[in-house]
Amino acid sequence: MIMHIHPVLLCGGSGTRLWPLSRQSYPKQFSRLIGDESLFQQAARRLCGPGYAAPVVVTGNDFRFIVTEQLAAVEIAPQAILIEPDGRNTAPAVLAAALVLAQSNADALMLVAPSDHVVPDAQAFRAAVAAAVPRARAGDLVTFGIVPTRPETGYGYLELAADGRIDADDPQRLARFVEKPDAERAAAMVAAGNFLWNAGIFLFTARTLIDAFRAHAPDILAPVETSVAEATTDLGFTRFAPEPWARVPSNSIDYAIMEKASNLAVMPYRAGWSDLGGWEAVWQETGPDGAGNVCSEHATAIDCEGSLLRSESERIELVGIGLKDIVAIATADAVLVAPKSESQRVKEAVTALQLADRRQATTFPIDHRPWGWFESLAIGPRFQVKRIVVHPGAALSLQSHHHRSEHWIVVEGTAKVTIDGETRLVTENQSVYVPLGSIHRMENPGKVAMVLIEVQTGSYLGEDDITRYEDVYARGQGAKG
C-alpha cells in the first residue's frame, strides 16, 4: 500500500549534552557517533523507500550546507530544506513544515522526527509507522512511545488510557503527558506497566496539525503563517521571513498542542531506540566489550572496566589505565573526563566555559563551509596557520580583508587563484601571497579535494574580517553569511 508519508526531519539544537564532540557550531546530529554515517544521515535513510516522499528538513542558516552535503553523500535528494531565522523550539518548526506541505496537499501525512536519535531496526520502525497511518489519516495526532527498559529520569513519559496496552501493535488511547520524573517516580511508572517514554516522534496530516494550532495555539499560528507566506528562496533553500518569525513564541509542540488536544493516540514501539542524550547512552548503544569498555580507534584501555574511551583526533592517542565506569573523550582542542554516572552534567561544563569566554564551549575545531572545511593548526598574537580543504569544483567567495594578509601553500591538488583580477593555477608544493586588502578568490578546478596550508599575519585574525564581492553560495556578509 502506498502511504505517501512525508518525513520532516528536525535538524537544529545546540548539541551541549555530548560536548566536546557535539557543539553549537556542529551539533551531534552531524557527527558519526555510532557507525560510519552521521545520525542525520541514518535518520534520512531510515525514513526513505517505498511509500515515503523525499524528506523535508527544518534547520538553521549555519547548517544548511552541512545538510545538503550529508544528504548528497548518502544519495538522498530533499523535497525541501526550510531555514528558520532563529530557533523557536519544535512547535513553530513543525507548524511551518505543515504549512509548506499544505500548499500542495493539505492532507499530506507528516512523520516528524528528530534527526539525532538512534533506531537500530529501521524495518521495525517503518512497520510501526505503517500501523499508525490509519489513525493519522482519520484525524488523530499520533505520537510514538518507547516501551521502557529501565527507570529513566532523562525522558518524559506518556501515560496510556485505562484500556491501553504497551504491548499493542496498533495505536492506543493516550491519557496524558508526564514531565521528566525523579528516580522514585520513574521506577513507579515503569512498574505500573502503562507508561511509555516520550520519543518526540509524531504522525499526522498537515490539516490536522494546522487545525490543532488554530484551536490551541493561535498566537503561534498567526506569525508563522505570515513568515511562511513571505518566505524567499535561494539556491534551493526556503527561508522563512525573519520579521514575523521574530514575533513567534518559543514553545515545544508538546506544550503548545499535545498536552491540550483530545484527538491523541500513541503507537507503542519496543524494537530499540535512544536519543543519545549523554555519553552513558553512547557507551550503551555502541556495544561494550566483555569488560564493559568501548574504545575508539585512537584509544586504548588497560585494566579498565565499564568505561568509554574515545579520541576524535588521529594526533591524540588516549590511554586509560585502571579506570572503572569512566567517560574520557578527547578532541583536538578539549578533553572531558567524568564518572559515567555524572556524564549528564556536561551542560555545566559548557556553561562554565562560556562564562570564561572559551571558544571550545561552542565552536568546533573544524569549521565546515559550503566549499569544504578548515581547521586552525597554530595561533599566535599576530599569526594563524590553517589547513584548508576545498571540495572538487567548489570556490570560496571573491573577498578581501582589512587586517590580514595570507600566504597559501598547496599540498594536495591544484588551486585556481585570483588576486586583483589576475588568475593563475597553483599546484602541489607551490605557493602564492595575498597582500592585505587585495580582492582574491580560491577555487578547486580539479576532480579531487584540494588541500592547502594558509598562513595569516596581521593585527586581527577573526573570521568576521571579510568583505564578500561575489559568492556562489549567496551567503552575504559576515563570518559565515
Side-chain angles (χ1 to χ4, degrees):
M1 172 177 141
I2 302 299
M3 295 180 288
H4 298 299
I5 293 170
H6 296 261
V8 175
L9 293 173
L10 304 180
C11 202
S14 60
T16 58
R17 291 188 292 175
L18 290 176
W19 185 89
L21 179 58
S22 174
R23 307 185 196 180
Q24 183 177 326
S25 70
Y26 199 76
K28 69 174 181 176
Q29 62 263 26
F30 300 121
S31 299
R32 290 190 296 271
L33 279 159
I34 294 178
D36 295 329
E37 294 178 344
S38 72
L39 299 179
F40 170 65
Q41 289 171 318
Q42 293 174 29
R45 280 193 187 278
R46 187 163 58 246
L47 305 182
C48 69
Y52 285 82
V56 174
V57 181
V58 186
T59 190
N61 186 64
D62 287 349
F63 305 143
R64 66 196 189 281
F65 291 110
I66 301 175
V67 166
T68 56
E69 181 180 327
Q70 292 206 351
L71 287 177
V74 294
E75 300 182 335
I76 294 176
Q79 178 179 170
I81 298 177
L82 310 178
I83 308 299
E84 298 177 281
D86 56 81
R88 296 283 173 172
N89 214 318
T90 55
V94 176
L95 172 60
L99 291 167
V100 170
L101 288 170
Q103 291 172 355
S104 55
N105 180 11
D107 293 312
L109 273 173
M110 302 172 56
L111 178 60
V112 179
S115 58
D116 57 358
H117 291 182
V118 171
V119 182
D121 192 337
Q123 184 175 353
F125 181 75
R126 288 192 290 266
V129 172
V133 164
R135 291 290 290 270
R137 279 184 169 159
D140 280 346
L141 300 164
V142 182
T143 184
F144 288 74
I146 310 302
V147 176
T149 57
R150 63 189 182 277
E152 174 60 60
T153 60
Y155 302 147
Y157 284 71
L158 305 168
E159 182 180 4
L160 298 181
D163 59 350
R165 297 183 297 109
I166 65 173
D167 61 347
D169 293 322
D170 58 351
Q172 303 293 291
R173 289 197 305 123
L174 179 61
R176 65 187 178 108
F177 285 71
V178 180
E179 293 296 317
K180 295 177 182 179
D182 58 25
E184 182 179 353
R185 177 64 176 145
M189 288 192 292
V190 172
N194 63 330
F195 289 86
L196 301 165
W197 290 338
N198 183 2
I201 302 171
F202 305 96
L203 181 70
F204 34 64
T205 67
R207 184 192 307 274
T208 298
L209 184 71
I210 295 168
D211 287 345
F213 272 90
R214 186 172 291 112
H216 304 295
D219 59 327
I220 296 177
L221 177 62
V224 172
E225 278 186 319
T226 304
S227 185
V228 171
E230 298 176 0
T232 59
T233 60
D234 70 72
L235 300 177
F237 303 110
T238 298
R239 295 179 177 274
F240 300 137
E243 192 277 327
W245 192 267
R247 303 195 304 269
V248 177
S250 179
N251 209 342
S252 72
I253 192 170
D254 284 358
Y255 285 127
I257 300 300
M258 299 300 167
E259 294 185 2
K260 302 173 183 176
S262 58
N263 55 331
L264 297 176
V266 57
M267 181 67 208
Y269 183 72
R270 49 189 173 274
W273 168 90
S274 174
D275 75 341
L276 288 190
W279 284 114
E280 186 170 11
V282 175
W283 166 81
Q284 187 173 37
E285 292 297 323
T286 307
D289 62 18
N293 297 317
V294 172
C295 295
S296 70
E297 180 181 357
H298 296 285
T300 303
I302 300 173
D303 293 331
C304 295
E305 298 177 21
S307 295
L308 172 62
L309 306 180
R310 185 167 180 144
S311 172
E312 298 300 321
S313 172
E314 62 184 14
R315 299 194 296 269
I316 297 176
E317 288 294 327
L318 177 63
V319 179
I321 301 176
L323 303 179
K324 184 174 182 180
D325 297 329
I326 292 294
V327 167
I329 312 296
T331 64
D333 65 341
V335 177
L336 168 71
V337 181
K340 207 163 55 187
S341 60
E342 297 288 317
S343 59
Q344 285 283 352
R345 298 178 61 188
V346 169
K347 285 185 176 182
E348 297 177 32
V350 175
T351 299
L353 291 173
Q354 288 174 326
L355 291 173
D357 198 28
R358 301 289 193 267
R359 67 185 303 275
Q360 288 91 339
T362 57
T363 304
F364 206 67
I366 292 178
D367 198 328
H368 293 263
R369 298 297 172 92
W371 43 260
W373 56 269
F374 69 82
E375 64 175 330
S376 294
L377 303 177
I379 301 176
R382 292 182 59 87
F383 77 90
Q384 180 171 204
V385 181
K386 290 181 178 179
R387 174 169 61 165
I388 299 177
V389 178
V390 183
H391 298 315
L396 281 69
S397 61
L398 185 66
Q399 58 185 255
S400 65
H401 309 294
H402 294 292
H403 302 287
R404 71 173 185 258
S405 58
E406 296 170 340
H407 189 186
W408 296 338
I409 305 98
V410 176
V411 294
E412 292 182 29
T414 299
K416 181 181 178 182
V417 176
T418 300
I419 302 175
D420 291 332
E422 295 187 10
T423 300
R424 57 178 288 199
L425 293 179
V426 183
T427 58
E428 289 183 12
N429 296 321
Q430 293 183 333
S431 64
V432 64
Y433 177 68
V434 182
L436 184 150
S438 292
I439 298 176
H440 60 280
R441 166 178 273 157
M442 178 200 313
E443 304 173 61
N444 180 359
K447 302 296 185 182
V448 297
M450 184 265 289
V451 183
L452 61 83
I453 302 300
E454 177 181 85
V455 180
Q456 302 176 351
T457 57
S459 59
Y460 179 74
L461 305 174
E463 288 301 318
D464 54 349
D465 177 22
I466 180 172
T467 300
R468 290 193 179 93
Y469 303 95
E470 296 175 7
D471 184 45
V472 296
Y473 307 107
R475 286 175 292 173
Q477 302 300 327
K480 291 189 178 182

